[in-house]
Amino acid sequence: MDIQKDFSLKNHNTFGIDVKANAFVTIQSVSELEKALQQVYASEIFVLGGGSNILLTDDVPKTVFYINLLGKKIESEDDGFVYVRANAGENWHRFVLWCINQDFGGIENLSLIPGNVGTSPIQNIGAYGVELKDVFVSCEAIHMQSLEHKSFTHQDCQFGYRDSIFKNEAKGKYIITSVLLKLSKKNHRIKTSYGAIQQELEAKNIQQPTVKDVSDAVIAIRTAKLPNPKELGNSGSFFKNPIVDKNHFVELQKTYENIPSYPISEEFVKVPAGWLIDTLGYKGYRNGDAGVHKNQALVLVNYGNASGKEVYQLAQEIQQKVKDTFGITLEMEVNIIP
Ligand code: EPU
């Protein structure tokens, strides 16, 4: 096991926060993972994937297990569907492109989401009307203490909006090693109704879009709106879109006529957190190197040398202002470490 001491995590988190880990180990195979788990107590391990959904607010006094399990393959197929397994360390977007090149459908709307395959079930990644749960079959994982291998079915995962068992009962207990997805080979269920996808396709005069057309449209929309973490540190949406009681929402409409919402049920609506933060005037706001993105108020950014604490303070300030002004509690989507 090759252990590096006092390892800077700056290049391992998309916020680009410069903190140090006590120790850093790159895991390249399941047998290496098993060996490493035998040597380090579970409580001393910090599991790291693509680092795209964390905000590091301090040095990590633990051994980082950098899960770099690579490989993807077609496990089985029939006339209409293909079952694809990808190992946890595969970059999510590269995996999406690999599927699209073979005209496999189902994850084209999830193009360009940062992060790795192994962390995709944890927060049930989603965009443009599709969530991982729509194509997820199962994932393999290892229990960090007992080393027992467990297969989590769709039902086991208890998926919700940016939520799963891995954020609840199973939190910090398992390391996901691979994910199995069911994708279509023909008669793809193309979803273009959400956001600007339809407009993007119309502008290109595409009437019967292929999965590649949809992926290209999503890439164009995301590139225009969301900052590239390689150029400007960020973790995508910092907060979840809050679910608001309809009575409360009707009250808010009296003051804010244009407040947008998506229906959830008879009693609740989802309100875009980006709109709430934007309405408070935070879009493009900057305090030192911590700021709010100029095109999408839901994305907090690091202009260079912000510390995790500074970004966190800004996030808390926004939470407080949203609470004071709209009476709505914003929940952070990004994991704050520690
Ligand atoms: N809005 C504003 N100002 C802003 C941003 C948004 O007014 O600065 C309003 C607009 O009315 C806009 C609405 O909010 O129509 C929704 O904005 P957008 O379409 O950008 O989507 P979102 O709800 O802010 C969610 C996901 C994104 C995902 C997009 C597209 C969450 C927390 N975020 O954002 O996911 O890409 O929908 O499906 O659910 C991520 O999780 O990291 C992420 C980027």
Side-chain angles (χ1 to χ4, degrees):
M1 195 163 79
D2 182 21
I3 299 188
Q4 287 166 283
K5 293 279 179 194
D6 285 330
F7 188 90
S8 166
L9 295 175
K10 189 170 168 62
N11 296 326
H12 281 279
N13 69 101
T14 58
F15 252 119
I17 305 290
D18 194 7
V19 293
K20 282 203 168 71
N22 240 2
F24 186 93
V25 185
T26 300
I27 305 286
Q28 317 233 46
S29 69
V30 172
S31 59
E32 253 178 46
L33 176 58
E34 285 170 334
K35 270 193 213 128
L37 283 171
Q38 281 162 357
Q39 290 178 35
V40 187
Y41 284 119
S43 58
E44 295 301 312
I45 298 169
F46 179 80
V47 183
L48 179 69
S52 64
N53 205 35
I54 51 172
L55 177 65
L56 297 160
T57 63
D58 216 335
D59 287 339
V60 178
K62 294 190 174 188
T63 298
V64 170
F65 278 24
Y66 171 50
I67 308 300
N68 195 28
L69 302 168
L70 300 179
K72 44 194 180 284
K73 62 168 195 237
I74 296 170
E75 200 153 280
S76 63
E77 58 190 306
D78 56 31
D79 236 24
F81 295 94
V82 59
Y83 290 80
V84 180
R85 181 172 301 283
N87 288 333
E90 284 288 329
N91 171 272
W92 173 261
H93 181 60
R94 275 206 295 275
F95 170 64
V96 171
L97 293 181
W98 181 80
C99 293
I100 285 165
N101 276 335
Q102 300 174 81
D103 196 35
F104 299 157
I107 49 177
E108 55 281 0
N109 295 42
L110 305 181
S111 298
L112 218 57
I113 293 188
N116 287 353
V117 168
T119 38
S120 63
I122 299 177
Q123 56 153 345
N124 180 27
I125 57 170
Y128 306 103
V130 174
E131 289 182 322
L132 184 81
K133 72 173 173 54
D134 303 335
V135 293
F136 180 93
V137 178
S138 62
C139 66
E140 301 304 307
I142 298 185
H143 192 272
M144 289 167 70
Q145 272 177 344
S146 69
L147 269 70
E148 175 210 354
H149 287 239
K150 179 169 163 64
S151 187
F152 286 82
T153 63
H154 194 291
Q155 203 183 354
D156 290 338
C157 288
Q158 299 170 19
F159 290 120
Y161 166 58
R162 295 294 192 276
D163 200 28
S164 75
I165 191 167
F166 302 106
K167 280 184 149 187
N168 299 293
E169 292 108 278
K171 188 174 177 175
K173 295 193 179 137
Y174 288 90
I175 296 179
I176 295 171
T177 54
S178 74
V179 174
L180 183 66
L181 304 182
K182 180 185 180 181
L183 304 174
S184 55
K185 283 167 52 175
K186 57 185 183 192
N187 305 328
H188 303 302
R189 285 214 213 129
I190 300 284
K191 282 198 186 171
T192 60
S193 57
Y194 192 101
I197 298 184
Q198 194 58 43
Q199 275 160 268
E200 195 68 34
L201 293 168
E202 275 164 20
K204 285 188 175 166
N205 213 2
I206 296 170
Q207 263 115 38
Q208 288 191 316
T210 61
V211 290
K212 167 112 178 32
D213 293 330
V214 176
S215 169
D216 287 346
V218 169
I219 290 172
I221 298 164
R222 289 189 74 105
T223 310
K225 230 174 159 172
L226 298 168
N228 178 351
K230 288 195 179 115
E231 287 155 18
L232 188 62
N234 76 90
S235 269
S237 302
F238 200 92
F239 302 98
K240 289 188 191 180
N241 285 333
I243 291 166
V244 177
D245 186 285
K246 260 197 189 149
N247 297 330
H248 185 173
F249 183 73
V250 170
E251 274 306 305
L252 287 170
Q253 270 180 320
K254 291 181 186 159
T255 316
Y256 306 97
E257 272 174 41
N258 300 327
I259 182 169
S261 67
Y262 312 109
I264 291 284
S265 66
E266 292 280 303
E267 288 159 78
F268 296 102
V269 293
K270 207 189 256 182
V271 174
W275 183 90
L276 299 170
I277 301 166
D278 193 355
T279 302
L280 291 173
Y282 272 107
K283 191 139 95 180
Y285 173 85
R286 180 170 176 171
N287 183 1
D289 270 355
V292 178
H293 190 241
K294 62 178 175 29
N295 299 335
Q296 166 48 296
L298 194 48
V299 178
L300 302 192
V301 294
N302 171 12
Y303 282 99
N305 293 313
S307 68
K309 285 197 178 78
E310 285 166 334
V311 177
Y312 187 48
Q313 265 163 20
L314 174 59
Q316 286 177 311
E317 179 186 318
I318 290 171
Q319 264 180 331
Q320 191 60 50
K321 287 260 169 68
V322 167
K323 182 83 193 159
D324 294 346
T325 311
F326 304 104
I328 293 176
T329 304
L330 281 190
E331 218 182 296
M332 296 188 194
E333 200 214 298
V334 170
N335 293 304
I336 312 299
I337 316 291

